[in-house]
Amino acid sequence: SLLYGMLAVSVGSWLGALFCHSHIQLASRCFGNITYITWSVAHNMTLLCVLLAAEIIVNVLSRIKQSVELPGETRLYIPGGCEECFSRSRTRSRCSCLLPAISTNQLLYFLLGNVITGVVNMVIHPHFKTPSTLASMGLMVAYLVLVNGAICLLFVFRCTAKFW
């Protein structure tokens, strides 16, 4: 029922953004007008709906997999949710350790992302150049690999930025 409510808010926000766009004024991030605000709410609600739907699907598939145990088969590991990642008793895990890695070094992840964003903005100058779509996607992939890779390496080697 939460997903249905979120979908209703998302659809309503998209309709509101469309109405504001056609009857009030174009969306402007600089001015922060009502059209931009409704578009931003609609976009973020849609993203949250997609992520919630993905989580529901993973949970349903996990329960189906756990109810049907096949001989010689291990249980389904949900990315970031297995005991191996949280206990870190093994040096190499069979699941994705991205979520616990980010949870371990949240502040460092945030700061590293901000620093790399600043470096990209200094190098690219987004107001003067318009890179191609392929170059933009390549830049985003490199950004995500760098930030997530650094945090995962710190997690694998049991390094943390916490000093308290």
Side-chain angles (χ1 to χ4, degrees), residues 59-98:
N59 283 333
V60 167
L61 290 177
S62 175
R63 289 184 183 159
I64 291 171
K65 180 76 172 182
Q66 287 174 356
S67 65
V68 179
E69 278 293 321
L70 298 175
E73 196 172 305
T74 58
R75 63 175 249 258
L76 178 67
Y77 289 109
I78 300 171
C82 72
E83 295 84 19
E84 291 180 22
C85 287
F86 290 111
S87 69
R88 294 195 285 180
S89 59
R90 298 175 51 164
T91 56
R92 186 175 177 114
S93 177
R94 289 178 280 169
C95 66
S96 170
C97 291
L98 182 61

mmCIF file of all heavy atoms in Angstrom, residues 59-98:
data_model
loop_
_atom_site.group_PDB
_atom_site.id
_atom_site.type_symbol
_atom_site.label_atom_id
_atom_site.label_comp_id
_atom_site.label_asym_id
_atom_site.label_seq_id
_atom_site.Cartn_x
_atom_site.Cartn_y
_atom_site.Cartn_z
ATOM 1 N N ASN A 59 12.897 -8.874 -2.292
ATOM 2 C CA ASN A 59 12.404 -9.592 -1.110
ATOM 3 C C ASN A 59 11.504 -10.757 -1.488
ATOM 4 O O ASN A 59 11.579 -11.824 -0.887
ATOM 5 C CB ASN A 59 11.669 -8.634 -0.173
ATOM 6 C CG ASN A 59 12.624 -7.776 0.616
ATOM 7 O OD1 ASN A 59 13.744 -8.168 0.863
ATOM 8 N ND2 ASN A 59 12.181 -6.588 0.973
ATOM 9 N N VAL A 60 10.635 -10.553 -2.482
ATOM 10 C CA VAL A 60 9.757 -11.642 -2.927
ATOM 11 C C VAL A 60 10.586 -12.780 -3.514
ATOM 12 O O VAL A 60 10.364 -13.954 -3.204
ATOM 13 C CB VAL A 60 8.708 -11.121 -3.937
ATOM 14 C CG1 VAL A 60 8.008 -12.261 -4.638
ATOM 15 C CG2 VAL A 60 7.692 -10.227 -3.238
ATOM 16 N N LEU A 61 11.552 -12.440 -4.360
ATOM 17 C CA LEU A 61 12.399 -13.480 -4.956
ATOM 18 C C LEU A 61 13.219 -14.192 -3.891
ATOM 19 O O LEU A 61 13.441 -15.401 -3.976
ATOM 20 C CB LEU A 61 13.319 -12.872 -6.018
ATOM 21 C CG LEU A 61 12.643 -12.408 -7.295
ATOM 22 C CD1 LEU A 61 13.660 -11.770 -8.217
ATOM 23 C CD2 LEU A 61 11.936 -13.557 -7.981
ATOM 24 N N SER A 62 13.667 -13.469 -2.885
ATOM 25 C CA SER A 62 14.432 -14.081 -1.808
ATOM 26 C C SER A 62 13.576 -15.069 -1.020
ATOM 27 O O SER A 62 14.033 -16.162 -0.677
ATOM 28 C CB SER A 62 14.971 -12.994 -0.877
ATOM 29 O OG SER A 62 15.612 -13.570 0.220
ATOM 30 N N ARG A 63 12.338 -14.711 -0.749
ATOM 31 C CA ARG A 63 11.451 -15.624 -0.013
ATOM 32 C C ARG A 63 11.102 -16.843 -0.842
ATOM 33 O O ARG A 63 11.002 -17.951 -0.318
ATOM 34 C CB ARG A 63 10.201 -14.886 0.429
ATOM 35 C CG ARG A 63 10.488 -13.907 1.525
ATOM 36 C CD ARG A 63 9.268 -13.239 2.036
ATOM 37 N NE ARG A 63 9.660 -12.264 3.039
ATOM 38 C CZ ARG A 63 8.936 -11.255 3.395
ATOM 39 N NH1 ARG A 63 7.745 -11.061 2.842
ATOM 40 N NH2 ARG A 63 9.357 -10.410 4.299
ATOM 41 N N ILE A 64 10.910 -16.643 -2.147
ATOM 42 C CA ILE A 64 10.644 -17.789 -3.022
ATOM 43 C C ILE A 64 11.849 -18.703 -3.037
ATOM 44 O O ILE A 64 11.731 -19.923 -2.928
ATOM 45 C CB ILE A 64 10.284 -17.317 -4.443
ATOM 46 C CG1 ILE A 64 8.922 -16.635 -4.449
ATOM 47 C CG2 ILE A 64 10.312 -18.484 -5.425
ATOM 48 C CD1 ILE A 64 8.587 -15.962 -5.769
ATOM 49 N N LYS A 65 13.033 -18.125 -3.155
ATOM 50 C CA LYS A 65 14.257 -18.909 -3.201
ATOM 51 C C LYS A 65 14.477 -19.654 -1.886
ATOM 52 O O LYS A 65 14.900 -20.801 -1.883
ATOM 53 C CB LYS A 65 15.438 -17.985 -3.495
ATOM 54 C CG LYS A 65 16.757 -18.647 -3.565
ATOM 55 C CD LYS A 65 16.924 -19.394 -4.837
ATOM 56 C CE LYS A 65 18.351 -19.878 -4.940
ATOM 57 N NZ LYS A 65 18.597 -20.554 -6.161
ATOM 58 N N GLN A 66 14.183 -19.016 -0.746
ATOM 59 C CA GLN A 66 14.377 -19.662 0.546
ATOM 60 C C GLN A 66 13.354 -20.767 0.783
ATOM 61 O O GLN A 66 13.638 -21.739 1.468
ATOM 62 C CB GLN A 66 14.297 -18.632 1.673
ATOM 63 C CG GLN A 66 15.501 -17.740 1.731
ATOM 64 C CD GLN A 66 15.352 -16.625 2.749
ATOM 65 O OE1 GLN A 66 14.304 -16.478 3.365
ATOM 66 N NE2 GLN A 66 16.397 -15.832 2.898
ATOM 67 N N SER A 67 12.162 -20.639 0.205
ATOM 68 C CA SER A 67 11.145 -21.673 0.412
ATOM 69 C C SER A 67 11.413 -22.902 -0.447
ATOM 70 O O SER A 67 10.981 -23.988 -0.120
ATOM 71 C CB SER A 67 9.749 -21.116 0.109
ATOM 72 O OG SER A 67 9.646 -20.792 -1.260
ATOM 73 N N VAL A 68 12.133 -22.723 -1.547
ATOM 74 C CA VAL A 68 12.470 -23.849 -2.411
ATOM 75 C C VAL A 68 13.970 -24.089 -2.303
ATOM 76 O O VAL A 68 14.756 -23.484 -3.000
ATOM 77 C CB VAL A 68 12.084 -23.554 -3.884
ATOM 78 C CG1 VAL A 68 12.448 -24.717 -4.772
ATOM 79 C CG2 VAL A 68 10.623 -23.197 -3.997
ATOM 80 N N GLU A 69 14.376 -24.924 -1.384
ATOM 81 C CA GLU A 69 15.783 -25.253 -1.202
ATOM 82 C C GLU A 69 16.151 -26.395 -2.133
ATOM 83 O O GLU A 69 15.605 -27.482 -2.039
ATOM 84 C CB GLU A 69 16.070 -25.666 0.247
ATOM 85 C CG GLU A 69 16.273 -24.529 1.197
ATOM 86 C CD GLU A 69 17.522 -23.724 0.926
ATOM 87 O OE1 GLU A 69 18.572 -24.312 0.582
ATOM 88 O OE2 GLU A 69 17.437 -22.499 1.045
ATOM 89 N N LEU A 70 17.055 -26.132 -3.029
ATOM 90 C CA LEU A 70 17.545 -27.179 -3.913
ATOM 91 C C LEU A 70 18.812 -27.766 -3.312
ATOM 92 O O LEU A 70 19.604 -27.053 -2.698
ATOM 93 C CB LEU A 70 17.822 -26.604 -5.298
ATOM 94 C CG LEU A 70 16.591 -26.030 -6.011
ATOM 95 C CD1 LEU A 70 17.013 -25.393 -7.318
ATOM 96 C CD2 LEU A 70 15.564 -27.115 -6.264
ATOM 97 N N PRO A 71 19.028 -29.069 -3.484
ATOM 98 C CA PRO A 71 20.225 -29.686 -2.892
ATOM 99 C C PRO A 71 21.499 -29.123 -3.516
ATOM 100 O O PRO A 71 21.587 -28.918 -4.715
ATOM 101 C CB PRO A 71 20.063 -31.171 -3.208
ATOM 102 C CG PRO A 71 18.937 -31.293 -4.162
ATOM 103 C CD PRO A 71 18.181 -30.018 -4.157
ATOM 104 N N GLY A 72 22.467 -28.843 -2.663
ATOM 105 C CA GLY A 72 23.755 -28.356 -3.124
ATOM 106 C C GLY A 72 23.746 -26.889 -3.529
ATOM 107 O O GLY A 72 24.717 -26.406 -4.093
ATOM 108 N N GLU A 73 22.696 -26.169 -3.240
ATOM 109 C CA GLU A 73 22.602 -24.771 -3.655
ATOM 110 C C GLU A 73 22.603 -23.887 -2.419
ATOM 111 O O GLU A 73 21.973 -24.199 -1.422
ATOM 112 C CB GLU A 73 21.300 -24.573 -4.446
ATOM 113 C CG GLU A 73 21.289 -23.291 -5.231
ATOM 114 C CD GLU A 73 20.073 -23.242 -6.136
ATOM 115 O OE1 GLU A 73 19.878 -24.172 -6.925
ATOM 116 O OE2 GLU A 73 19.331 -22.263 -6.042
ATOM 117 N N THR A 74 23.323 -22.789 -2.491
ATOM 118 C CA THR A 74 23.349 -21.863 -1.367
ATOM 119 C C THR A 74 22.162 -20.922 -1.461
ATOM 120 O O THR A 74 21.549 -20.782 -2.506
ATOM 121 C CB THR A 74 24.644 -21.041 -1.372
ATOM 122 O OG1 THR A 74 24.726 -20.338 -2.621
ATOM 123 C CG2 THR A 74 25.861 -21.929 -1.233
ATOM 124 N N ARG A 75 21.864 -20.261 -0.356
ATOM 125 C CA ARG A 75 20.718 -19.364 -0.357
ATOM 126 C C ARG A 75 21.025 -18.090 -1.130
ATOM 127 O O ARG A 75 22.173 -17.744 -1.350
ATOM 128 C CB ARG A 75 20.295 -19.036 1.062
ATOM 129 C CG ARG A 75 21.307 -18.298 1.870
ATOM 130 C CD ARG A 75 20.684 -17.932 3.199
ATOM 131 N NE ARG A 75 20.505 -16.506 3.253
ATOM 132 C CZ ARG A 75 21.303 -15.702 3.930
ATOM 133 N NH1 ARG A 75 22.293 -16.192 4.620
ATOM 134 N NH2 ARG A 75 21.111 -14.422 3.937
ATOM 135 N N LEU A 76 19.981 -17.382 -1.515
ATOM 136 C CA LEU A 76 20.111 -16.162 -2.301
ATOM 137 C C LEU A 76 20.666 -15.049 -1.420
ATOM 138 O O LEU A 76 20.147 -14.786 -0.346
ATOM 139 C CB LEU A 76 18.746 -15.749 -2.853
ATOM 140 C CG LEU A 76 18.694 -14.469 -3.661
ATOM 141 C CD1 LEU A 76 19.461 -14.645 -4.962
ATOM 142 C CD2 LEU A 76 17.262 -14.087 -3.955
ATOM 143 N N TYR A 77 21.742 -14.425 -1.868
ATOM 144 C CA TYR A 77 22.330 -13.330 -1.123
ATOM 145 C C TYR A 77 21.804 -12.011 -1.668
ATOM 146 O O TYR A 77 21.964 -11.703 -2.837
ATOM 147 C CB TYR A 77 23.850 -13.351 -1.227
ATOM 148 C CG TYR A 77 24.465 -14.489 -0.459
ATOM 149 C CD1 TYR A 77 25.037 -15.548 -1.117
ATOM 150 C CD2 TYR A 77 24.445 -14.493 0.921
ATOM 151 C CE1 TYR A 77 25.584 -16.608 -0.413
ATOM 152 C CE2 TYR A 77 24.991 -15.539 1.635
ATOM 153 C CZ TYR A 77 25.557 -16.585 0.959
ATOM 154 O OH TYR A 77 26.091 -17.615 1.661
ATOM 155 N N ILE A 78 21.165 -11.241 -0.811
ATOM 156 C CA ILE A 78 20.695 -9.918 -1.193
ATOM 157 C C ILE A 78 21.883 -8.974 -1.116
ATOM 158 O O ILE A 78 22.610 -8.983 -0.121
ATOM 159 C CB ILE A 78 19.570 -9.451 -0.247
ATOM 160 C CG1 ILE A 78 18.405 -10.432 -0.337
ATOM 161 C CG2 ILE A 78 19.122 -8.041 -0.585
ATOM 162 C CD1 ILE A 78 17.346 -10.206 0.702
ATOM 163 N N PRO A 79 22.119 -8.158 -2.156
ATOM 164 C CA PRO A 79 23.281 -7.266 -2.134
ATOM 165 C C PRO A 79 23.310 -6.407 -0.887
ATOM 166 O O PRO A 79 22.356 -5.707 -0.582
ATOM 167 C CB PRO A 79 23.095 -6.419 -3.392
ATOM 168 C CG PRO A 79 22.251 -7.254 -4.282
ATOM 169 C CD PRO A 79 21.361 -8.046 -3.378
ATOM 170 N N GLY A 80 24.408 -6.494 -0.164
ATOM 171 C CA GLY A 80 24.585 -5.697 1.030
ATOM 172 C C GLY A 80 23.865 -6.229 2.247
ATOM 173 O O GLY A 80 23.906 -5.609 3.294
ATOM 174 N N GLY A 81 23.211 -7.372 2.131
ATOM 175 C CA GLY A 81 22.415 -7.824 3.246
ATOM 176 C C GLY A 81 22.825 -9.149 3.833
ATOM 177 O O GLY A 81 22.121 -9.660 4.679
ATOM 178 N N CYS A 82 23.905 -9.731 3.399
ATOM 179 C CA CYS A 82 24.256 -11.048 3.921
ATOM 180 C C CYS A 82 25.099 -10.933 5.192
ATOM 181 O O CYS A 82 25.682 -9.899 5.481
ATOM 182 C CB CYS A 82 25.000 -11.860 2.872
ATOM 183 S SG CYS A 82 26.676 -11.312 2.562
ATOM 184 N N GLU A 83 25.136 -12.013 5.924
ATOM 185 C CA GLU A 83 25.874 -12.021 7.178
ATOM 186 C C GLU A 83 27.379 -11.945 6.950
ATOM 187 O O GLU A 83 28.118 -11.462 7.789
ATOM 188 C CB GLU A 83 25.543 -13.285 7.988
ATOM 189 C CG GLU A 83 24.101 -13.354 8.459
ATOM 190 C CD GLU A 83 23.171 -13.920 7.402
ATOM 191 O OE1 GLU A 83 23.641 -14.586 6.463
ATOM 192 O OE2 GLU A 83 21.961 -13.667 7.506
ATOM 193 N N GLU A 84 27.845 -12.446 5.804
ATOM 194 C CA GLU A 84 29.275 -12.439 5.526
ATOM 195 C C GLU A 84 29.820 -11.024 5.455
ATOM 196 O O GLU A 84 30.930 -10.749 5.895
ATOM 197 C CB GLU A 84 29.572 -13.165 4.215
ATOM 198 C CG GLU A 84 29.339 -14.651 4.290
ATOM 199 C CD GLU A 84 29.638 -15.324 2.975
ATOM 200 O OE1 GLU A 84 30.389 -14.761 2.173
ATOM 201 O OE2 GLU A 84 29.116 -16.413 2.754
ATOM 202 N N CYS A 85 29.043 -10.123 4.868
ATOM 203 C CA CYS A 85 29.505 -8.743 4.751
ATOM 204 C C CYS A 85 29.577 -8.076 6.107
ATOM 205 O O CYS A 85 30.527 -7.367 6.411
ATOM 206 C CB CYS A 85 28.571 -7.939 3.850
ATOM 207 S SG CYS A 85 28.716 -8.347 2.121
ATOM 208 N N PHE A 86 28.552 -8.285 6.933
ATOM 209 C CA PHE A 86 28.511 -7.589 8.199
ATOM 210 C C PHE A 86 29.476 -8.182 9.213
ATOM 211 O O PHE A 86 30.039 -7.470 10.022
ATOM 212 C CB PHE A 86 27.088 -7.560 8.749
ATOM 213 C CG PHE A 86 26.191 -6.666 7.961
ATOM 214 C CD1 PHE A 86 25.181 -7.184 7.185
ATOM 215 C CD2 PHE A 86 26.378 -5.299 7.975
ATOM 216 C CE1 PHE A 86 24.364 -6.358 6.446
ATOM 217 C CE2 PHE A 86 25.575 -4.460 7.243
ATOM 218 C CZ PHE A 86 24.565 -4.984 6.486
ATOM 219 N N SER A 87 29.683 -9.490 9.168
ATOM 220 C CA SER A 87 30.629 -10.084 10.106
ATOM 221 C C SER A 87 32.057 -9.925 9.600
ATOM 222 O O SER A 87 32.983 -9.855 10.375
ATOM 223 C CB SER A 87 30.316 -11.566 10.307
ATOM 224 O OG SER A 87 30.601 -12.289 9.130
ATOM 225 N N ARG A 88 32.227 -9.878 8.321
ATOM 226 C CA ARG A 88 33.527 -9.755 7.658
ATOM 227 C C ARG A 88 34.503 -10.818 8.170
ATOM 228 O O ARG A 88 35.678 -10.567 8.360
ATOM 229 C CB ARG A 88 34.110 -8.359 7.836
ATOM 230 C CG ARG A 88 33.287 -7.316 7.145
ATOM 231 C CD ARG A 88 34.025 -6.044 7.026
ATOM 232 N NE ARG A 88 34.075 -5.355 8.300
ATOM 233 C CZ ARG A 88 34.668 -4.209 8.481
ATOM 234 N NH1 ARG A 88 35.255 -3.619 7.488
ATOM 235 N NH2 ARG A 88 34.684 -3.636 9.648
ATOM 236 N N SER A 89 33.970 -12.021 8.385
ATOM 237 C CA SER A 89 34.821 -13.094 8.870
ATOM 238 C C SER A 89 35.657 -13.678 7.743
ATOM 239 O O SER A 89 36.695 -14.246 7.983
ATOM 240 C CB SER A 89 33.975 -14.192 9.513
ATOM 241 O OG SER A 89 33.047 -14.705 8.566
ATOM 242 N N ARG A 90 35.181 -13.522 6.520
ATOM 243 C CA ARG A 90 35.927 -14.026 5.372
ATOM 244 C C ARG A 90 36.587 -12.865 4.667
ATOM 245 O O ARG A 90 36.141 -11.733 4.728
ATOM 246 C CB ARG A 90 34.991 -14.733 4.412
ATOM 247 C CG ARG A 90 34.319 -15.936 5.034
ATOM 248 C CD ARG A 90 33.335 -16.513 4.106
ATOM 249 N NE ARG A 90 33.967 -16.738 2.802
ATOM 250 C CZ ARG A 90 33.467 -17.496 1.869
ATOM 251 N NH1 ARG A 90 32.338 -18.097 2.069
ATOM 252 N NH2 ARG A 90 34.064 -17.651 0.712
ATOM 253 N N THR A 91 37.659 -13.142 3.949
ATOM 254 C CA THR A 91 38.326 -12.063 3.224
ATOM 255 C C THR A 91 37.602 -11.741 1.921
ATOM 256 O O THR A 91 37.643 -10.638 1.447
ATOM 257 C CB THR A 91 39.784 -12.442 2.905
ATOM 258 O OG1 THR A 91 39.783 -13.674 2.177
ATOM 259 C CG2 THR A 91 40.585 -12.573 4.184
ATOM 260 N N ARG A 92 36.937 -12.701 1.345
ATOM 261 C CA ARG A 92 36.214 -12.457 0.101
ATOM 262 C C ARG A 92 34.800 -12.995 0.245
ATOM 263 O O ARG A 92 34.585 -14.135 0.605
ATOM 264 C CB ARG A 92 36.922 -13.140 -1.070
ATOM 265 C CG ARG A 92 36.289 -12.798 -2.375
ATOM 266 C CD ARG A 92 37.107 -13.394 -3.514
ATOM 267 N NE ARG A 92 36.424 -13.103 -4.742
ATOM 268 C CZ ARG A 92 36.894 -12.315 -5.667
ATOM 269 N NH1 ARG A 92 38.057 -11.759 -5.515
ATOM 270 N NH2 ARG A 92 36.220 -12.094 -6.759
ATOM 271 N N SER A 93 33.833 -12.149 -0.066
ATOM 272 C CA SER A 93 32.440 -12.510 0.100
ATOM 273 C C SER A 93 31.837 -12.893 -1.242
ATOM 274 O O SER A 93 32.308 -12.482 -2.289
ATOM 275 C CB SER A 93 31.680 -11.324 0.696
ATOM 276 O OG SER A 93 30.332 -11.638 0.800
ATOM 277 N N ARG A 94 30.752 -13.678 -1.184
ATOM 278 C CA ARG A 94 30.072 -14.072 -2.409
ATOM 279 C C ARG A 94 28.969 -13.095 -2.796
ATOM 280 O O ARG A 94 28.246 -13.321 -3.736
ATOM 281 C CB ARG A 94 29.471 -15.460 -2.243
ATOM 282 C CG ARG A 94 30.527 -16.533 -2.201
ATOM 283 C CD ARG A 94 29.880 -17.860 -2.001
ATOM 284 N NE ARG A 94 29.566 -17.980 -0.572
ATOM 285 C CZ ARG A 94 28.812 -18.912 -0.057
ATOM 286 N NH1 ARG A 94 28.282 -19.818 -0.819
ATOM 287 N NH2 ARG A 94 28.576 -18.961 1.233
ATOM 288 N N CYS A 95 28.809 -12.039 -2.052
ATOM 289 C CA CYS A 95 27.745 -11.088 -2.350
ATOM 290 C C CYS A 95 28.343 -9.701 -2.565
ATOM 291 O O CYS A 95 29.530 -9.490 -2.395
ATOM 292 C CB CYS A 95 26.731 -11.053 -1.225
ATOM 293 S SG CYS A 95 27.400 -10.395 0.299
ATOM 294 N N SER A 96 27.485 -8.767 -2.940
ATOM 295 C CA SER A 96 27.905 -7.393 -3.125
ATOM 296 C C SER A 96 28.027 -6.720 -1.771
ATOM 297 O O SER A 96 27.107 -6.748 -0.972
ATOM 298 C CB SER A 96 26.875 -6.658 -3.980
ATOM 299 O OG SER A 96 27.145 -5.288 -3.979
ATOM 300 N N CYS A 97 29.156 -6.118 -1.515
ATOM 301 C CA CYS A 97 29.388 -5.487 -0.225
ATOM 302 C C CYS A 97 29.313 -3.972 -0.308
ATOM 303 O O CYS A 97 29.857 -3.273 0.538
ATOM 304 C CB CYS A 97 30.743 -5.897 0.329
ATOM 305 S SG CYS A 97 30.801 -7.621 0.822
ATOM 306 N N LEU A 98 28.664 -3.429 -1.321
ATOM 307 C CA LEU A 98 28.630 -1.983 -1.502
ATOM 308 C C LEU A 98 27.850 -1.292 -0.389
ATOM 309 O O LEU A 98 28.307 -0.291 0.165
ATOM 310 C CB LEU A 98 28.045 -1.636 -2.873
ATOM 311 C CG LEU A 98 27.994 -0.152 -3.209
ATOM 312 C CD1 LEU A 98 29.390 0.437 -3.209
ATOM 313 C CD2 LEU A 98 27.340 0.060 -4.554
#
